[in-house]
Structures are given as C-alpha cells and as structure tokens.
PDB file of all heavy atoms in Angstrom:
ATOM      1  N   SER A 150      22.728 -33.283 -15.153  1.00  0.00           N
ATOM      2  CA  SER A 150      21.924 -34.104 -14.197  1.00  0.00           C
ATOM      3  C   SER A 150      21.703 -35.576 -14.683  1.00  0.00           C
ATOM      4  O   SER A 150      21.894 -36.556 -13.984  1.00  0.00           O
ATOM      5  CB  SER A 150      20.540 -33.408 -14.151  1.00  0.00           C
ATOM      6  OG  SER A 150      19.556 -34.177 -13.378  1.00  0.00           O
ATOM      7  N   ALA A 151      21.409 -35.643 -16.080  1.00  0.00           N
ATOM      8  CA  ALA A 151      21.189 -36.941 -16.532  1.00  0.00           C
ATOM      9  C   ALA A 151      22.457 -37.765 -16.585  1.00  0.00           C
ATOM     10  O   ALA A 151      22.595 -38.977 -16.275  1.00  0.00           O
ATOM     11  CB  ALA A 151      20.647 -36.937 -17.981  1.00  0.00           C
ATOM     12  N   GLU A 152      23.555 -37.167 -16.899  1.00  0.00           N
ATOM     13  CA  GLU A 152      24.955 -37.845 -16.912  1.00  0.00           C
ATOM     14  C   GLU A 152      25.440 -38.335 -15.530  1.00  0.00           C
ATOM     15  O   GLU A 152      25.913 -39.427 -15.432  1.00  0.00           O
ATOM     16  CB  GLU A 152      25.993 -36.849 -17.428  1.00  0.00           C
ATOM     17  CG  GLU A 152      27.443 -37.365 -17.441  1.00  0.00           C
ATOM     18  CD  GLU A 152      28.497 -36.269 -17.772  1.00  0.00           C
ATOM     19  OE1 GLU A 152      28.166 -35.310 -18.392  1.00  0.00           O
ATOM     20  OE2 GLU A 152      29.555 -36.420 -17.255  1.00  0.00           O
ATOM     21  N   LEU A 153      25.229 -37.473 -14.558  1.00  0.00           N
ATOM     22  CA  LEU A 153      25.564 -37.815 -13.174  1.00  0.00           C
ATOM     23  C   LEU A 153      24.610 -38.713 -12.414  1.00  0.00           C
ATOM     24  O   LEU A 153      24.968 -39.185 -11.367  1.00  0.00           O
ATOM     25  CB  LEU A 153      25.939 -36.544 -12.379  1.00  0.00           C
ATOM     26  CG  LEU A 153      27.042 -35.570 -12.958  1.00  0.00           C
ATOM     27  CD1 LEU A 153      27.204 -34.471 -12.017  1.00  0.00           C
ATOM     28  CD2 LEU A 153      28.371 -36.422 -12.992  1.00  0.00           C
ATOM     29  N   GLY A 154      23.391 -38.733 -12.948  1.00  0.00           N
ATOM     30  CA  GLY A 154      22.330 -39.351 -12.157  1.00  0.00           C
ATOM     31  C   GLY A 154      21.932 -38.636 -10.942  1.00  0.00           C
ATOM     32  O   GLY A 154      21.578 -39.328  -9.920  1.00  0.00           O
ATOM     33  N   VAL A 155      21.989 -37.322 -11.048  1.00  0.00           N
ATOM     34  CA  VAL A 155      21.563 -36.481  -9.849  1.00  0.00           C
ATOM     35  C   VAL A 155      20.316 -35.772 -10.243  1.00  0.00           C
ATOM     36  O   VAL A 155      20.331 -34.968 -11.228  1.00  0.00           O
ATOM     37  CB  VAL A 155      22.703 -35.585  -9.520  1.00  0.00           C
ATOM     38  CG1 VAL A 155      22.187 -34.529  -8.425  1.00  0.00           C
ATOM     39  CG2 VAL A 155      23.968 -36.302  -9.120  1.00  0.00           C
ATOM     40  N   ALA A 156      19.216 -35.814  -9.582  1.00  0.00           N
ATOM     41  CA  ALA A 156      18.011 -35.024  -9.680  1.00  0.00           C
ATOM     42  C   ALA A 156      18.261 -33.655  -9.196  1.00  0.00           C
ATOM     43  O   ALA A 156      19.050 -33.467  -8.313  1.00  0.00           O
ATOM     44  CB  ALA A 156      16.901 -35.775  -9.078  1.00  0.00           C
ATOM     45  N   PHE A 157      17.432 -32.741  -9.541  1.00  0.00           N
ATOM     46  CA  PHE A 157      17.512 -31.349  -9.085  1.00  0.00           C
ATOM     47  C   PHE A 157      16.247 -30.559  -9.025  1.00  0.00           C
ATOM     48  O   PHE A 157      15.331 -30.864  -9.763  1.00  0.00           O
ATOM     49  CB  PHE A 157      18.714 -30.603  -9.731  1.00  0.00           C
ATOM     50  CG  PHE A 157      18.357 -30.142 -11.176  1.00  0.00           C
ATOM     51  CD1 PHE A 157      17.778 -28.913 -11.557  1.00  0.00           C
ATOM     52  CD2 PHE A 157      18.624 -31.034 -12.294  1.00  0.00           C
ATOM     53  CE1 PHE A 157      17.477 -28.585 -12.768  1.00  0.00           C
ATOM     54  CE2 PHE A 157      18.397 -30.676 -13.575  1.00  0.00           C
ATOM     55  CZ  PHE A 157      17.755 -29.446 -13.840  1.00  0.00           C
ATOM     56  N   HIS A 158      16.277 -29.715  -8.102  1.00  0.00           N
ATOM     57  CA  HIS A 158      15.161 -28.579  -7.942  1.00  0.00           C
ATOM     58  C   HIS A 158      15.780 -27.277  -8.347  1.00  0.00           C
ATOM     59  O   HIS A 158      16.844 -26.888  -8.090  1.00  0.00           O
ATOM     60  CB  HIS A 158      14.739 -28.540  -6.502  1.00  0.00           C
ATOM     61  CG  HIS A 158      13.986 -27.439  -6.091  1.00  0.00           C
ATOM     62  ND1 HIS A 158      14.582 -26.098  -5.972  1.00  0.00           N
ATOM     63  CD2 HIS A 158      12.715 -27.139  -5.763  1.00  0.00           C
ATOM     64  CE1 HIS A 158      13.664 -25.196  -5.578  1.00  0.00           C
ATOM     65  NE2 HIS A 158      12.511 -25.848  -5.466  1.00  0.00           N
ATOM     66  N   LEU A 159      15.027 -26.635  -9.203  1.00  0.00           N
ATOM     67  CA  LEU A 159      15.459 -25.272  -9.749  1.00  0.00           C
ATOM     68  C   LEU A 159      14.273 -24.285  -9.760  1.00  0.00           C
ATOM     69  O   LEU A 159      13.136 -24.485 -10.174  1.00  0.00           O
ATOM     70  CB  LEU A 159      15.856 -25.397 -11.267  1.00  0.00           C
ATOM     71  CG  LEU A 159      16.298 -24.117 -11.918  1.00  0.00           C
ATOM     72  CD1 LEU A 159      17.608 -23.662 -11.329  1.00  0.00           C
ATOM     73  CD2 LEU A 159      16.417 -24.438 -13.433  1.00  0.00           C
ATOM     74  N   GLY A 160      14.597 -23.030  -9.250  1.00  0.00           N
ATOM     75  CA  GLY A 160      13.642 -21.977  -9.293  1.00  0.00           C
ATOM     76  C   GLY A 160      13.898 -20.974 -10.385  1.00  0.00           C
ATOM     77  O   GLY A 160      15.154 -20.685 -10.685  1.00  0.00           O
ATOM     78  N   TYR A 161      12.802 -20.537 -10.953  1.00  0.00           N
ATOM     79  CA  TYR A 161      13.175 -19.510 -12.086  1.00  0.00           C
ATOM     80  C   TYR A 161      11.753 -18.751 -12.387  1.00  0.00           C
ATOM     81  O   TYR A 161      10.672 -19.129 -11.864  1.00  0.00           O
ATOM     82  CB  TYR A 161      13.457 -20.218 -13.452  1.00  0.00           C
ATOM     83  CG  TYR A 161      12.564 -21.154 -13.985  1.00  0.00           C
ATOM     84  CD1 TYR A 161      11.686 -20.732 -14.983  1.00  0.00           C
ATOM     85  CD2 TYR A 161      12.383 -22.425 -13.556  1.00  0.00           C
ATOM     86  CE1 TYR A 161      10.654 -21.596 -15.606  1.00  0.00           C
ATOM     87  CE2 TYR A 161      11.406 -23.297 -14.072  1.00  0.00           C
ATOM     88  CZ  TYR A 161      10.584 -22.874 -15.064  1.00  0.00           C
ATOM     89  OH  TYR A 161       9.612 -23.728 -15.689  1.00  0.00           O
ATOM     90  N   ALA A 162      11.901 -17.621 -13.089  1.00  0.00           N
ATOM     91  CA  ALA A 162      10.655 -16.844 -13.499  1.00  0.00           C
ATOM     92  C   ALA A 162      10.182 -17.378 -14.856  1.00  0.00           C
ATOM     93  O   ALA A 162      10.921 -17.476 -15.826  1.00  0.00           O
ATOM     94  CB  ALA A 162      11.092 -15.384 -13.743  1.00  0.00           C
ATOM     95  N   GLU A 163       8.801 -17.788 -14.836  1.00  0.00           N
ATOM     96  CA  GLU A 163       8.260 -18.527 -15.977  1.00  0.00           C
ATOM     97  C   GLU A 163       7.287 -17.593 -16.686  1.00  0.00           C
ATOM     98  O   GLU A 163       6.341 -17.044 -16.067  1.00  0.00           O
ATOM     99  CB  GLU A 163       7.499 -19.742 -15.413  1.00  0.00           C
ATOM    100  CG  GLU A 163       6.843 -20.556 -16.605  1.00  0.00           C
ATOM    101  CD  GLU A 163       5.792 -21.572 -15.975  1.00  0.00           C
ATOM    102  OE1 GLU A 163       5.475 -21.535 -14.766  1.00  0.00           O
ATOM    103  OE2 GLU A 163       5.406 -22.420 -16.792  1.00  0.00           O
ATOM    104  N   ARG A 164       7.400 -17.509 -17.967  1.00  0.00           N
ATOM    105  CA  ARG A 164       6.371 -16.967 -18.865  1.00  0.00           C
ATOM    106  C   ARG A 164       5.746 -18.073 -19.716  1.00  0.00           C
ATOM    107  O   ARG A 164       6.466 -18.649 -20.530  1.00  0.00           O
ATOM    108  CB  ARG A 164       6.748 -15.749 -19.581  1.00  0.00           C
ATOM    109  CG  ARG A 164       5.776 -15.094 -20.454  1.00  0.00           C
ATOM    110  CD  ARG A 164       6.088 -13.781 -21.178  1.00  0.00           C
ATOM    111  NE  ARG A 164       7.052 -13.929 -22.110  1.00  0.00           N
ATOM    112  CZ  ARG A 164       6.795 -14.138 -23.487  1.00  0.00           C
ATOM    113  NH1 ARG A 164       5.536 -14.344 -23.776  1.00  0.00           N
ATOM    114  NH2 ARG A 164       7.742 -14.296 -24.323  1.00  0.00           N
ATOM    115  N   THR A 165       4.486 -18.356 -19.561  1.00  0.00           N
ATOM    116  CA  THR A 165       3.691 -19.376 -20.286  1.00  0.00           C
ATOM    117  C   THR A 165       3.530 -18.884 -21.747  1.00  0.00           C
ATOM    118  O   THR A 165       3.523 -17.708 -21.988  1.00  0.00           O
ATOM    119  CB  THR A 165       2.523 -19.757 -19.630  1.00  0.00           C
ATOM    120  OG1 THR A 165       1.562 -18.711 -19.854  1.00  0.00           O
ATOM    121  CG2 THR A 165       2.566 -19.893 -18.132  1.00  0.00           C
ATOM    122  N   PRO A 166       3.135 -19.918 -22.678  1.00  0.00           N
ATOM    123  CA  PRO A 166       2.832 -19.583 -23.933  1.00  0.00           C
ATOM    124  C   PRO A 166       1.588 -18.603 -24.070  1.00  0.00           C
ATOM    125  O   PRO A 166       1.497 -17.808 -24.949  1.00  0.00           O
ATOM    126  CB  PRO A 166       2.457 -20.929 -24.526  1.00  0.00           C
ATOM    127  CG  PRO A 166       3.285 -21.929 -23.781  1.00  0.00           C
ATOM    128  CD  PRO A 166       3.313 -21.462 -22.414  1.00  0.00           C
ATOM    129  N   GLU A 167       0.857 -18.637 -23.010  1.00  0.00           N
ATOM    130  CA  GLU A 167      -0.414 -17.703 -22.945  1.00  0.00           C
ATOM    131  C   GLU A 167       0.045 -16.350 -22.472  1.00  0.00           C
ATOM    132  O   GLU A 167      -0.787 -15.453 -22.433  1.00  0.00           O
ATOM    133  CB  GLU A 167      -1.488 -18.321 -22.131  1.00  0.00           C
ATOM    134  CG  GLU A 167      -1.960 -19.559 -22.618  1.00  0.00           C
ATOM    135  CD  GLU A 167      -1.177 -20.826 -22.232  1.00  0.00           C
ATOM    136  OE1 GLU A 167      -0.398 -20.614 -21.210  1.00  0.00           O
ATOM    137  OE2 GLU A 167      -1.062 -21.841 -22.997  1.00  0.00           O
ATOM    138  N   GLY A 168       1.307 -16.164 -22.088  1.00  0.00           N
ATOM    139  CA  GLY A 168       1.647 -14.815 -21.579  1.00  0.00           C
ATOM    140  C   GLY A 168       1.521 -14.673 -20.083  1.00  0.00           C
ATOM    141  O   GLY A 168       1.550 -13.548 -19.552  1.00  0.00           O
ATOM    142  N   ARG A 169       1.240 -15.658 -19.319  1.00  0.00           N
ATOM    143  CA  ARG A 169       1.151 -15.545 -17.862  1.00  0.00           C
ATOM    144  C   ARG A 169       2.439 -15.683 -17.299  1.00  0.00           C
ATOM    145  O   ARG A 169       3.449 -16.272 -17.828  1.00  0.00           O
ATOM    146  CB  ARG A 169       0.172 -16.572 -17.429  1.00  0.00           C
ATOM    147  CG  ARG A 169      -1.199 -16.643 -18.057  1.00  0.00           C
ATOM    148  CD  ARG A 169      -2.062 -17.710 -17.487  1.00  0.00           C
ATOM    149  NE  ARG A 169      -2.471 -17.485 -16.144  1.00  0.00           N
ATOM    150  CZ  ARG A 169      -3.121 -18.371 -15.264  1.00  0.00           C
ATOM    151  NH1 ARG A 169      -3.323 -19.492 -15.724  1.00  0.00           N
ATOM    152  NH2 ARG A 169      -3.419 -17.999 -14.025  1.00  0.00           N
ATOM    153  N   HIS A 170       2.618 -15.166 -16.038  1.00  0.00           N
ATOM    154  CA  HIS A 170       3.964 -14.934 -15.431  1.00  0.00           C
ATOM    155  C   HIS A 170       3.863 -15.683 -13.988  1.00  0.00           C
ATOM    156  O   HIS A 170       3.030 -15.202 -13.130  1.00  0.00           O
ATOM    157  CB  HIS A 170       4.381 -13.521 -15.228  1.00  0.00           C
ATOM    158  CG  HIS A 170       4.532 -12.901 -16.729  1.00  0.00           C
ATOM    159  ND1 HIS A 170       3.489 -12.277 -17.408  1.00  0.00           N
ATOM    160  CD2 HIS A 170       5.635 -12.636 -17.396  1.00  0.00           C
ATOM    161  CE1 HIS A 170       4.031 -11.905 -18.496  1.00  0.00           C
ATOM    162  NE2 HIS A 170       5.297 -11.953 -18.510  1.00  0.00           N
ATOM    163  N   PHE A 171       4.801 -16.426 -13.769  1.00  0.00           N
ATOM    164  CA  PHE A 171       4.721 -17.175 -12.378  1.00  0.00           C
ATOM    165  C   PHE A 171       6.236 -17.212 -11.812  1.00  0.00           C
ATOM    166  O   PHE A 171       7.149 -17.271 -12.613  1.00  0.00           O
ATOM    167  CB  PHE A 171       4.246 -18.502 -12.454  1.00  0.00           C
ATOM    168  CG  PHE A 171       2.864 -18.627 -12.976  1.00  0.00           C
ATOM    169  CD1 PHE A 171       2.486 -18.916 -14.400  1.00  0.00           C
ATOM    170  CD2 PHE A 171       1.802 -18.396 -12.009  1.00  0.00           C
ATOM    171  CE1 PHE A 171       1.123 -18.953 -14.714  1.00  0.00           C
ATOM    172  CE2 PHE A 171       0.420 -18.511 -12.456  1.00  0.00           C
ATOM    173  CZ  PHE A 171       0.153 -18.758 -13.759  1.00  0.00           C
ATOM    174  N   ASN A 172       6.341 -17.309 -10.551  1.00  0.00           N
ATOM    175  CA  ASN A 172       7.635 -17.662  -9.737  1.00  0.00           C
ATOM    176  C   ASN A 172       7.476 -19.076  -9.604  1.00  0.00           C
ATOM    177  O   ASN A 172       6.731 -19.606  -8.878  1.00  0.00           O
ATOM    178  CB  ASN A 172       7.665 -16.816  -8.440  1.00  0.00           C
ATOM    179  CG  ASN A 172       8.855 -17.066  -7.809  1.00  0.00           C
ATOM    180  OD1 ASN A 172       9.722 -17.996  -8.069  1.00  0.00           O
ATOM    181  ND2 ASN A 172       9.247 -16.079  -6.859  1.00  0.00           N
ATOM    182  N   THR A 173       8.333 -19.854 -10.335  1.00  0.00           N
ATOM    183  CA  THR A 173       8.217 -21.265 -10.514  1.00  0.00           C
ATOM    184  C   THR A 173       9.240 -22.098 -10.028  1.00  0.00           C
ATOM    185  O   THR A 173      10.422 -21.558 -10.105  1.00  0.00           O
ATOM    186  CB  THR A 173       7.919 -21.580 -11.950  1.00  0.00           C
ATOM    187  OG1 THR A 173       6.688 -20.934 -12.434  1.00  0.00           O
ATOM    188  CG2 THR A 173       7.831 -22.990 -12.359  1.00  0.00           C
ATOM    189  N   ALA A 174       9.049 -23.341  -9.636  1.00  0.00           N
ATOM    190  CA  ALA A 174      10.077 -24.260  -9.413  1.00  0.00           C
ATOM    191  C   ALA A 174       9.741 -25.690 -10.037  1.00  0.00           C
ATOM    192  O   ALA A 174       8.662 -26.093 -10.194  1.00  0.00           O
ATOM    193  CB  ALA A 174      10.206 -24.560  -7.884  1.00  0.00           C
ATOM    194  N   ILE A 175      10.876 -26.245 -10.517  1.00  0.00           N
ATOM    195  CA  ILE A 175      10.727 -27.655 -11.011  1.00  0.00           C
ATOM    196  C   ILE A 175      11.583 -28.604 -10.521  1.00  0.00           C
ATOM    197  O   ILE A 175      12.542 -28.325  -9.792  1.00  0.00           O
ATOM    198  CB  ILE A 175      10.951 -27.532 -12.655  1.00  0.00           C
ATOM    199  CG1 ILE A 175      12.399 -26.945 -12.873  1.00  0.00           C
ATOM    200  CG2 ILE A 175       9.843 -26.845 -13.375  1.00  0.00           C
ATOM    201  CD1 ILE A 175      12.887 -27.026 -14.277  1.00  0.00           C
ATOM    202  N   PHE A 176      11.191 -29.860 -10.530  1.00  0.00           N
ATOM    203  CA  PHE A 176      12.017 -30.934 -10.134  1.00  0.00           C
ATOM    204  C   PHE A 176      12.355 -31.830 -11.297  1.00  0.00           C
ATOM    205  O   PHE A 176      11.428 -32.316 -12.110  1.00  0.00           O
ATOM    206  CB  PHE A 176      11.350 -31.837  -9.044  1.00  0.00           C
ATOM    207  CG  PHE A 176      12.185 -32.964  -8.522  1.00  0.00           C
ATOM    208  CD1 PHE A 176      13.245 -32.575  -7.605  1.00  0.00           C
ATOM    209  CD2 PHE A 176      12.085 -34.243  -8.883  1.00  0.00           C
ATOM    210  CE1 PHE A 176      14.096 -33.630  -7.114  1.00  0.00           C
ATOM    211  CE2 PHE A 176      12.829 -35.204  -8.446  1.00  0.00           C
ATOM    212  CZ  PHE A 176      13.898 -34.941  -7.534  1.00  0.00           C
ATOM    213  N   VAL A 177      13.587 -32.021 -11.548  1.00  0.00           N
ATOM    214  CA  VAL A 177      14.177 -32.698 -12.755  1.00  0.00           C
ATOM    215  C   VAL A 177      14.823 -34.060 -12.418  1.00  0.00           C
ATOM    216  O   VAL A 177      15.722 -34.021 -11.501  1.00  0.00           O
ATOM    217  CB  VAL A 177      14.953 -31.832 -13.608  1.00  0.00           C
ATOM    218  CG1 VAL A 177      15.586 -32.563 -14.788  1.00  0.00           C
ATOM    219  CG2 VAL A 177      14.429 -30.506 -14.070  1.00  0.00           C
ATOM    220  N   GLU A 178      14.373 -35.119 -12.993  1.00  0.00           N
ATOM    221  CA  GLU A 178      14.916 -36.424 -12.693  1.00  0.00           C
ATOM    222  C   GLU A 178      15.259 -37.111 -13.950  1.00  0.00           C
ATOM    223  O   GLU A 178      14.310 -37.137 -14.864  1.00  0.00           O
ATOM    224  CB  GLU A 178      14.136 -37.254 -11.801  1.00  0.00           C
ATOM    225  CG  GLU A 178      14.716 -38.687 -11.327  1.00  0.00           C
ATOM    226  CD  GLU A 178      13.851 -39.418 -10.299  1.00  0.00           C
ATOM    227  OE1 GLU A 178      12.718 -38.979 -10.110  1.00  0.00           O
ATOM    228  OE2 GLU A 178      14.395 -40.276  -9.881  1.00  0.00           O
ATOM    229  N   ALA A 179      16.465 -37.671 -14.185  1.00  0.00           N
ATOM    230  CA  ALA A 179      16.882 -38.300 -15.425  1.00  0.00           C
ATOM    231  C   ALA A 179      16.676 -37.363 -16.655  1.00  0.00           C
ATOM    232  O   ALA A 179      16.132 -37.861 -17.709  1.00  0.00           O
ATOM    233  CB  ALA A 179      16.119 -39.612 -15.546  1.00  0.00           C
ATOM    234  N   GLY A 180      16.923 -36.081 -16.425  1.00  0.00           N
ATOM    235  CA  GLY A 180      16.731 -35.087 -17.503  1.00  0.00           C
ATOM    236  C   GLY A 180      15.289 -34.812 -18.001  1.00  0.00           C
ATOM    237  O   GLY A 180      15.073 -34.110 -18.925  1.00  0.00           O
ATOM    238  N   ARG A 181      14.376 -35.065 -17.075  1.00  0.00           N
ATOM    239  CA  ARG A 181      12.941 -34.804 -17.531  1.00  0.00           C
ATOM    240  C   ARG A 181      12.291 -34.226 -16.236  1.00  0.00           C
ATOM    241  O   ARG A 181      12.527 -34.508 -15.181  1.00  0.00           O
ATOM    242  CB  ARG A 181      12.218 -36.207 -17.670  1.00  0.00           C
ATOM    243  CG  ARG A 181      10.802 -36.107 -18.151  1.00  0.00           C
ATOM    244  CD  ARG A 181      10.345 -37.495 -18.580  1.00  0.00           C
ATOM    245  NE  ARG A 181      10.369 -38.478 -17.416  1.00  0.00           N
ATOM    246  CZ  ARG A 181       9.336 -38.641 -16.688  1.00  0.00           C
ATOM    247  NH1 ARG A 181       8.093 -38.003 -16.806  1.00  0.00           N
ATOM    248  NH2 ARG A 181       9.401 -39.567 -15.714  1.00  0.00           N
ATOM    249  N   ILE A 182      11.527 -33.174 -16.607  1.00  0.00           N
ATOM    250  CA  ILE A 182      10.593 -32.486 -15.556  1.00  0.00           C
ATOM    251  C   ILE A 182       9.618 -33.479 -15.005  1.00  0.00           C
ATOM    252  O   ILE A 182       8.651 -33.827 -15.838  1.00  0.00           O
ATOM    253  CB  ILE A 182      10.104 -31.124 -16.127  1.00  0.00           C
ATOM    254  CG1 ILE A 182      11.198 -30.157 -16.457  1.00  0.00           C
ATOM    255  CG2 ILE A 182       9.222 -30.503 -15.027  1.00  0.00           C
ATOM    256  CD1 ILE A 182      10.691 -29.019 -17.135  1.00  0.00           C
ATOM    257  N   VAL A 183       9.651 -33.785 -13.704  1.00  0.00           N
ATOM    258  CA  VAL A 183       8.603 -34.720 -13.157  1.00  0.00           C
ATOM    259  C   VAL A 183       7.719 -33.927 -12.030  1.00  0.00           C
ATOM    260  O   VAL A 183       6.803 -34.529 -11.598  1.00  0.00           O
ATOM    261  CB  VAL A 183       9.308 -35.983 -12.567  1.00  0.00           C
ATOM    262  CG1 VAL A 183       9.939 -36.726 -13.638  1.00  0.00           C
ATOM    263  CG2 VAL A 183      10.277 -35.579 -11.375  1.00  0.00           C
ATOM    264  N   GLY A 184       8.126 -32.712 -11.803  1.00  0.00           N
ATOM    265  CA  GLY A 184       7.326 -32.022 -10.667  1.00  0.00           C
ATOM    266  C   GLY A 184       7.325 -30.553 -11.036  1.00  0.00           C
ATOM    267  O   GLY A 184       8.500 -30.101 -11.459  1.00  0.00           O
ATOM    268  N   LYS A 185       6.245 -29.788 -10.782  1.00  0.00           N
ATOM    269  CA  LYS A 185       6.337 -28.375 -10.947  1.00  0.00           C
ATOM    270  C   LYS A 185       5.421 -27.714  -9.816  1.00  0.00           C
ATOM    271  O   LYS A 185       4.293 -28.194  -9.486  1.00  0.00           O
ATOM    272  CB  LYS A 185       5.723 -28.016 -12.314  1.00  0.00           C
ATOM    273  CG  LYS A 185       5.893 -26.517 -12.878  1.00  0.00           C
ATOM    274  CD  LYS A 185       5.494 -26.462 -14.257  1.00  0.00           C
ATOM    275  CE  LYS A 185       5.952 -25.056 -14.919  1.00  0.00           C
ATOM    276  NZ  LYS A 185       5.559 -25.074 -16.256  1.00  0.00           N
ATOM    277  N   TYR A 186       5.904 -26.549  -9.531  1.00  0.00           N
ATOM    278  CA  TYR A 186       5.171 -25.723  -8.497  1.00  0.00           C
ATOM    279  C   TYR A 186       5.233 -24.248  -8.842  1.00  0.00           C
ATOM    280  O   TYR A 186       6.248 -23.830  -9.332  1.00  0.00           O
ATOM    281  CB  TYR A 186       5.696 -25.944  -7.137  1.00  0.00           C
ATOM    282  CG  TYR A 186       5.056 -25.111  -5.964  1.00  0.00           C
ATOM    283  CD1 TYR A 186       3.819 -25.122  -5.673  1.00  0.00           C
ATOM    284  CD2 TYR A 186       5.754 -23.877  -5.545  1.00  0.00           C
ATOM    285  CE1 TYR A 186       3.154 -24.261  -4.757  1.00  0.00           C
ATOM    286  CE2 TYR A 186       5.317 -23.051  -4.693  1.00  0.00           C
ATOM    287  CZ  TYR A 186       3.964 -23.113  -4.215  1.00  0.00           C
ATOM    288  OH  TYR A 186       3.383 -22.328  -3.283  1.00  0.00           O
TER     289      TYR A 186
END
C-alpha cells in the first residue's frame, strides 16, 4: 500500500490487549491506520 500509494479498507476479527473481541474494519493510508470501526 505504501509502495503503490494506494490506501485500503480491510475487515478482520480483532482481539484487543484486554481480551475483547470485535468484528473490525480499518482504513490504511501511507502505511498507517487512520480510521477504525
């Protein structure tokens, strides 16, 4: 993504450091997460 200059949205199953579980999506721009749902 960073190499091509293409941002992306990705969905995945997230387990937090506290042990919570979410169905999550992130938006990544320039290799960095800038949005989360």
